[in-house]
Amino acid sequence: MTQNASERATPAVAPAADTAPVPADHPIPAQRPTSTDDHPASTNHPTSTDRPTSTNHPAPADHPAPGKRSFPAGRPVPAEHPLAADGPAPAGRAAGAGRLVGVDLARGLAVFGMYAAHVGPDPSVGGATGFVMELAHGRASALFAFLAGFSIILMTGRRAPRTGREGRQAVAKVLIRAAVLLAVGTWLTSTGTPVEVILAYYGLFFVMVLPFYRLRPATLAALAAGTALLLPQLLYTAQQSVYDGTWSDTAVQYDPLARVSGTDGFIELLFTGSYPALAWIPFVLAGMAVARLDLASAAVRARLAVTGVGLAVLGYGGSWLALHLVPGVRGALTESIREEGYGSGSPLSLWWSDTAGYPSGDTTAWLWAASPHSETTLSVLGNTGVALAVLVACVAAVECLPRFRRLAAPVVAVGSMSLTAYVFHVVGIHFLGIDELPGPSLRVLLGFSVAVTLLAVVWSRFFRRGPLEHVLNGATKVARHVK
C-alpha cells in the first residue's frame, strides 16, 4: 500500500463565522448572514417575541426591544446566540462578533495557503516565492484541522455542552455532516484527482473526537498533548505492520469504503493516507480546547499567543537540534532520502521543510523530523503552535483594528464558505488538466485566488451560506426529529 507523496497539504473544511456569532447548529463550513432578513433566530434560543408583551406596562428606556435578547454589561455574548449581521454591533456585542470573524479570517488564510500548496509554484524554485510556498505546505491543512475542533464545539454548545434532546440533536448533526463529508471525499478521490482530498479524513475526525465534546478546556488540552506525544509513535508502528504484513490486505478486501473508492478504505484513513487520523486527531482536540475559552479576553489571547509560539519553538526547534546533535540521525536520513530517489533539499531542512522528501518508514530517524506531513510528535507540536498563533492573531486583529477588519472582508468571505472553496479548486484542477501538484505557475495560483474571492464576495451579498454549505445544512435537518 502506497500513498501519494506529490503534495498533501489540503485543508479541512469547517463551520465558518462572521460578524455575528454563528448558531451551534450552523453548517460546516458556515456562510455568514448578510442581513437580518435572511438570518432568522436560532430555534434553540427563542426570543421574546415568543411571549405576549403587555401594553399597560411600557418597558424602560434601556429595556431591549421585543425580539431582542440583552446581556449584562461586561458579560460575553454566547457564541451560539445569533446576532444581526448588518449595522454596527451594539455595545457589548462587538467582542463576541470579532471572535468569530477572526475564525473565518483564519480559515480564509488557510484556504489561500491550500491553494498555494496545490496550484502554486513548487517550493524547490527557491527564493522568496519558494519560501512562501513551503510555508503553506502542511501548515494550512493543520490550521484547518485545528479549526475543525472549534467547529465541533460551536455545533455542540460552546459555553456549555448541550444536553438532553438538544444535545442528542447536535450529536446527530455532527454525525450526519461526518457521513456527508466522508461520502463527498470518497467520491472526489475516486475521480482520480491529483489532490489528496481531505474531506473523507475530516468526516472520520468528527466521529472520533465527538465523544469528548463535553470535556472541560483543561481536560481537552491535556488529551491533545497526550495524543500528540503517543499517537505518532503508535502510527509509526502501525504503518510498519501494514507495510510488512498481510492483515491489512484482508481488511481492505472486506472494507466497503475501499471497494467504492478504489483506495485502501479505512486502513488509509487511519494509518497510511496523507492525513492519518492517528497523527491528526491532536489538532482537532487542541481546537476544541481553545474553542471553550473566552477569546474576547485580551489576557486569554496573550496566554494563547505565548503558548502557540512556545509550541512552535518546541516542535521545530527540537527537530533542528535533533537533526544537528543526535548521533546517527543525519546519516540515516541522508541514506533514506538517497534510496527513495526524490527530494532536492538537504536532510538538515527537515525540521521545517519537505523539499528533501517524505518519510519512507525505513528508519526511526524520521521520527525526529518536523517537516510537513512527517506525522511526528515534533511536527504536530510545531504545526499546532503555528495554527494557534495564526488564530489568535486573526482574532486580535479584527477586534482591535476596525480598518483592518474592513480590508480583510474578502478573505473572511472566502473563509465563511470554505467547503465551496475547497471543492471549487479540486474541480478547477480537473478541468484545467493539471496532473502534477505542485508545479503550476504563480499566475495559476493568482487566478484561482481571485476567482474564489470574487465568488465568495458576490455570493455572500445575496445568500447566508455558500452553495455547498447550504446543501450540507439541508442534509442535517433530519436531526430535528431526534427525540
Side-chain angles (χ1 to χ4, degrees):
M1 301 181 185
T2 60
Q3 55 180 329
N4 189 346
S6 62
E7 173 49 45
R8 305 184 295 178
T10 313
V13 187
D18 197 342
T19 55
V22 180
D25 59 351
H26 212 273
I28 300 210
Q31 173 58 36
R32 61 190 178 99
T34 56
S35 71
T36 53
D37 295 333
D38 66 350
H39 185 56
S42 168
T43 56
N44 296 323
H45 299 276
T47 65
S48 60
T49 54
D50 298 326
R51 302 183 297 272
T53 304
S54 171
T55 58
N56 298 324
H57 301 280
D62 59 349
H63 194 278
K68 301 294 182 181
R69 178 180 174 186
S70 66
F71 295 89
R75 174 183 170 188
V77 180
E80 301 86 38
H81 188 79
L83 301 175
D86 54 336
R93 293 185 178 181
R99 210 165 44 240
L100 295 178
V101 172
V103 175
D104 265 349
L105 177 59
R107 191 174 290 112
L109 293 177
V111 167
F112 291 122
M114 169 265 294
Y115 279 24
H118 284 169
V119 297
D122 194 295
S124 62
V125 300
T129 299
F131 175 77
V132 173
M133 296 300 106
E134 183 60 29
L135 284 179
H137 283 221
R139 282 161 277 270
S141 49
L143 175 57
F144 266 106
F146 178 84
L147 294 175
F150 207 106
S151 305
I152 291 172
I153 296 301
L154 287 179
M155 287 187 287
T156 56
R158 187 176 180 196
R159 291 299 178 194
R162 298 180 184 274
T163 58
R165 183 183 179 187
E166 283 191 352
R168 292 189 292 272
Q169 289 177 341
V171 168
K173 289 178 180 179
V174 173
L175 292 176
I176 292 171
R177 284 171 169 79
V180 171
L181 292 173
L182 180 64
V184 173
T186 300
W187 172 72
L188 288 175
T189 299
S190 67
T191 64
T193 174
V195 177
E196 293 288 343
V197 180
I198 198 175
L199 295 183
Y201 298 89
Y202 202 73
L204 182 61
F205 298 163
F206 273 34
V207 175
M208 293 180 69
V209 302
L210 188 56
F212 308 115
Y213 81 92
R214 294 186 179 183
L215 298 181
R216 301 176 62 182
T219 307
L220 286 167
L223 190 59
T227 53
L229 291 174
L230 297 177
L231 290 186
Q233 280 60 247
L234 179 60
L235 174 65
Y236 178 84
T237 303
Q239 287 177 338
Q240 300 314 303
S241 176
V242 169
Y243 298 142
D244 298 336
T246 59
W247 66 270
S248 59
D249 295 329
T250 303
V252 170
Q253 182 180 356
Y254 293 99
D255 185 346
L257 182 64
R259 294 183 179 182
V260 171
S261 63
T263 66
D264 290 337
F266 285 102
I267 292 293
E268 183 172 320
L269 297 180
L270 287 168
F271 307 120
T272 63
S274 299
Y275 310 93
L278 288 190
W280 284 73
I281 287 299
F283 296 127
V284 185
L285 291 171
M288 294 171 68
V290 172
R292 288 270 186 232
L293 303 177
D294 180 14
L295 297 184
S297 168
V300 171
R301 294 198 302 267
R303 289 195 293 270
L304 290 177
V306 172
T307 301
V309 172
L311 287 174
V313 171
L314 179 61
Y316 298 130
S319 178
W320 186 92
L321 289 174
L323 294 175
H324 286 79
L325 302 179
V326 175
V329 169
R330 180 180 179 181
L333 291 175
T334 300
E335 180 64 18
S336 175
I337 292 170
R338 185 187 64 80
E339 291 180 356
E340 290 296 324
Y342 60 78
S344 59
S346 166
L348 293 180
S349 68
L350 288 171
W351 66 273
W352 80 285
S353 169
D354 59 11
T355 55
Y358 294 101
S360 60
D362 58 350
T363 172
T364 57
W366 279 106
L367 294 175
W368 294 104
S371 56
H373 298 284
S374 56
E375 327 299 3
T376 66
T377 291
L378 295 175
S379 173
V380 171
L381 292 177
N383 288 346
T384 300
V386 171
L388 183 54
V390 169
L391 175 62
V392 171
C394 290
V395 171
V398 299
E399 185 168 312
C400 302
L401 303 172
R403 180 173 296 181
F404 172 83
R405 178 170 170 168
R406 291 191 295 271
L407 293 175
V411 181
V412 173
V414 173
S416 70
M417 50 190 293
S418 52
L419 176 59
T420 297
Y422 181 85
V423 176
F424 172 85
H425 104 287
V426 175
V427 173
I429 288 172
H430 173 75
F431 279 104
L432 290 177
I434 300 174
D435 297 324
E436 185 176 349
L437 303 177
S441 68
L442 192 59
R443 287 178 296 179
V444 175
L445 170 60
L446 293 176
F448 269 87
S449 301
V450 171
V452 77
T453 301
L454 290 175
L455 171 64
V457 170
V458 173
W459 188 277
S460 64
R461 289 184 178 274
F462 300 98
F463 303 99
R464 287 182 57 193
R465 303 180 177 96
L468 298 183
E469 286 75 10
H470 176 76
V471 173
L472 187 60
N473 180 64
T476 63
K477 289 184 178 180
V478 67
R480 70 179 65 174
H481 300 295
V482 174
K483 302 298 183 182

